[in-house]
Amino acid sequence: MTALCKSWDGNYFLAGQYPDSARRALLFFKIKENGDSLKTTVIGDYKHVYYTTNTLIRTPDGNHLLTGHFENLDTGNTNALLVQLTNNLDTLWTRKYDASPFDRFWSTALSDDSGYLSVGEVLRTSSSNFSSIFILKTDKNGKELWRKKYDYGSTSSALSLTITKNGNILLSGFTGPNSFLMKLNNLGNKIWFKPCPYKGAFNIHELPNSNLYITGNYGVDLGENALVGVLDS
């Protein structure tokens, strides 16, 4: 299982990948606090491979949202994915986003207008092997409102985002062998971009004093050393 959140009724949701090589679907559990199972739901088919991230959030309308992506086994294309589930694990809607033959979401945050901001990576061009940083804004029903990509040298991806107190968007991720931090306004226009001498900045949060808290890795090999840092705004 890759994602966990508390449900609106005080229980817990778990999300991961269905453990069957012939059917790589999305697997959801609803469990009690003591671990007893309440319900299991599988979403998927035999023509696609589905992947979850660690982003499973509660939404203001009393439902839940999962971020992920899926691969078409016939074409090899990968599309970004959002799935909204009720408190009883029933599917309200599933949305796919295909900006290129290879799109992946890694993280989603609730925006100030009750919509969603999702980040990840997208192919730079249809014939390119390099990916670009990707952000997509939707309304509360998953309808796309706008999308933007940002190119920085070699393969790049946004792994995490957070919304600041003043409504700006902070991203963290990697470009080539190093990490980056990026600040955008609420329309996705870049305010600043700062490369960092770390191997991977995987999570970013704004502290009450507006400083930034990041976690990730540094060193020669990914995962070799843990990184925890506090930066000014």
Side-chain angles (χ1 to χ4, degrees):
M1 310 308 289
T2 60
L4 165 72
C5 80
K6 193 169 186 176
S7 60
W8 284 105
D9 58 5
N11 294 298
Y12 291 88
F13 281 179
L14 302 174
Q17 192 177 56
Y18 190 72
D20 184 343
S21 59
R23 189 186 182 196
R24 304 282 291 278
L26 300 175
L27 176 63
F28 298 93
F29 289 104
K30 184 175 183 179
I31 63 173
K32 295 180 180 180
E33 190 174 64
N34 65 4
D36 290 344
S37 179
L38 294 171
K39 187 175 181 179
T40 303
T41 296
V42 178
I43 300 174
D45 53 55
Y46 292 93
K47 294 183 178 180
H48 301 88
V49 178
Y50 291 82
Y51 301 92
T52 61
T53 69
N54 62 359
T55 301
L56 178 62
I57 59 175
R58 298 195 300 184
T59 59
D61 55 5
N63 297 303
H64 305 79
L65 188 83
L66 176 80
T67 305
H69 47 272
F70 65 95
E71 178 185 357
N72 185 311
L73 294 176
D74 292 330
T75 65
N77 292 350
T78 298
N79 296 128
L81 178 72
L82 294 177
V83 180
Q84 190 173 49
L85 302 161
T86 69
N87 206 48
N88 198 39
L89 283 186
D90 298 317
T91 304
L92 283 176
W93 50 257
T94 300
R95 303 279 187 266
K96 70 172 185 176
Y97 307 93
D98 51 356
S100 78
F102 180 84
D103 312 311
R104 295 196 292 189
F105 283 160
W106 292 114
S107 186
T108 295
L110 184 69
S111 57
D112 293 339
D113 58 1
S114 298
Y116 306 108
L117 286 159
S118 299
V119 297
E121 59 196 275
V122 60
L123 276 187
R124 193 157 300 169
T125 66
S126 60
S127 60
S128 172
N129 292 322
F130 296 110
S131 63
S132 299
I133 299 161
F134 181 48
I135 183 169
L136 185 138
K137 174 73 167 68
T138 73
D139 66 12
K140 64 180 181 179
N141 296 311
K143 179 182 177 182
E144 182 179 332
L145 299 178
W146 53 259
R147 66 174 71 182
K148 291 183 182 293
K149 69 175 183 175
Y150 315 90
D151 299 335
Y152 289 97
S154 58
T155 288
S156 305
S157 180
L159 302 176
S160 178
L161 81 160
T162 191
I163 312 299
T164 68
K165 294 188 290 292
N166 60 8
N168 290 322
I169 307 163
L170 291 170
L171 308 184
S172 64
F174 68 87
T175 177
N178 296 313
S179 299
F180 73 84
L181 301 177
M182 180 188 290
K183 178 181 278 189
L184 312 172
N185 67 15
N186 63 353
L187 296 176
N189 298 313
K190 184 179 67 174
I191 298 173
W192 49 252
F193 175 91
K194 297 185 182 297
C196 304
Y198 315 125
K199 186 70 174 180
F202 296 135
N203 289 284
I204 184 169
H205 298 281
E206 185 183 38
L207 299 173
N209 62 1
S210 296
N211 287 338
L212 308 179
Y213 189 87
I214 63 169
T215 61
N217 300 99
Y218 70 95
V220 176
D221 297 316
L222 188 64
E224 182 181 19
N225 298 288
L227 167 69
V228 177
V230 177
L231 308 174
D232 65 32
S233 59

